[in-house]
């Protein structure tokens, strides 16, 4: 038996989502098919709205609804220190600890030679441009504690240190090979507090 074309299309779209295999796609599709129309509409309109209203912050490349993101638009933030993260979700994880009051820079990935991702594919150029005026005293590198994250951290340290800016790396104690976003607030907060100079 074949699915009716609209269901087949929904399954096809769901399977393209990260972490969703055929089994999960079927489960979600079944939920949508039996859900109240209003519930399904809310999901559809949330997707449409996020695509319509959210863009990348032109300063730090976090997600933004206004011209600047919530952090860059906040006058209380200390603009002398920049915390470098891989993805917007890592920014959220670091910020939740409350240990960092500076601003951020989202690389939008990490260096991964195996996947053919070099620094030119990341927002590295834009980071270096932000450091130029000489108002930055510290760059905290909070890339993930895995091979790609460490490679990226070393690359950035080599690039930034000659500019006379202190470069620090969040401490280990985070599960190696793990993702920042899965670290609990206390662990991540301690890792930030115990950051060491590179
Ligand atoms: Zn921003």
């Amino acid at each position: 038996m074949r699915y009716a074309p609209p269901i087949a299309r929904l399954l096809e779209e769901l399977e393209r989502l990260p972490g969703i295999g055929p089994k999960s796609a079927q489960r979600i599709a079944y939920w949508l098919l039996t859900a109240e129309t209003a519930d399904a509409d809310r999901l559809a309109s949330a997707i449409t709205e996020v695509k319509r209203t959210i863009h990348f912050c032109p300063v730090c490349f976090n997600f933004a609804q206004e011209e600047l993101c919530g952090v860059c638009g906040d006058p209380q933030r200390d603009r002398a220190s920049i915390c470098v993260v891989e993805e917007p979700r890592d920014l959220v994880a670091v910020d939740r600890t409350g240990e960092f009051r500076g601003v951020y820079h989202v690389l939008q990935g990490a260096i991964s030679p195996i996947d053919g991702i070099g620094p030119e594919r990341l927002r590295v150029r834009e980071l270096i441009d932000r450091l130029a005026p000489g108002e930055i005293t510290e760059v905290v590198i909070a890339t993930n504690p895995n091979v790609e994250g460490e490679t990226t951290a070393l690359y950035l340290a080599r690039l930034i240190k000659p500019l006379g800016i202190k470069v620090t790396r969040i401490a280990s104690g985070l599960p190696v090979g793990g993702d920042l976003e899965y670290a609990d607030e206390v662990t991540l907060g301690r890792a930030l507090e115990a950051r060491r100079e590179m």
Side-chain angles (χ1 to χ4, degrees):
M1 193 215 119
R2 292 242 285 277
Y3 286 112
I7 301 177
R9 197 180 131 217
L10 176 61
L11 287 170
E12 201 180 294
E13 292 302 326
L14 290 171
E15 281 180 41
R16 293 175 57 195
L17 300 175
I20 304 292
K23 275 263 183 301
S24 307
Q26 268 180 359
R27 205 155 48 228
I28 297 167
Y30 183 80
W31 181 85
L32 288 166
L33 286 163
T34 54
E36 296 290 332
T37 304
D39 287 334
D41 283 347
R42 261 203 313 278
L43 175 62
S45 83
I47 294 171
T48 312
E49 194 184 350
V50 92
K51 294 307 292 179
R52 197 173 50 79
T53 59
I54 305 295
H55 58 268
F56 288 119
C57 174
V59 175
C60 74
F61 300 95
N62 181 18
F63 293 129
Q65 185 176 4
E66 310 294 328
E67 192 202 339
L68 297 177
C69 75
V71 177
C72 291
D74 179 355
Q76 306 296 329
R77 292 282 178 157
D78 169 19
R79 262 143 246 278
S81 50
I82 298 181
C83 179
V84 179
V85 293
E86 292 181 22
E87 303 288 350
R89 58 177 185 258
D90 300 324
L91 183 159
V92 172
V94 171
D95 218 55
R96 243 191 335 238
T97 68
E99 289 289 335
F100 183 74
R101 293 302 300 161
V103 290
Y104 294 89
H105 191 85
V106 181
L107 293 171
Q108 297 186 336
I111 296 172
S112 175
I114 295 171
D115 303 313
I117 300 172
E120 72 288 343
R121 295 265 300 271
L122 310 172
R123 300 291 183 178
V124 172
R125 182 75 267 153
E126 290 86 347
L127 171 63
I128 303 304
D129 286 347
R130 289 178 73 183
L131 307 179
E135 289 151 14
I136 312 295
T137 52
E138 181 181 0
V139 173
V140 183
I141 302 181
T143 49
N144 286 326
N146 54 26
V147 177
E148 293 79 18
E150 294 301 340
T151 306
T152 308
L154 285 173
Y155 175 84
L156 291 177
R158 232 171 273 150
L159 214 57
I160 298 167
K161 270 161 60 177
L163 305 174
I165 296 167
K166 183 170 151 192
V167 181
T168 56
R169 175 91 175 104
I170 54 168
S172 49
L174 294 171
V176 173
D179 265 359
L180 227 59
E181 58 169 321
Y182 299 127
D184 65 275
E185 281 164 45
V186 177
T187 308
L188 189 51
R190 278 197 199 125
L192 260 168
E193 219 175 352
R195 63 185 182 266
R196 55 185 160 67
E197 194 157 355
M198 288 187 77

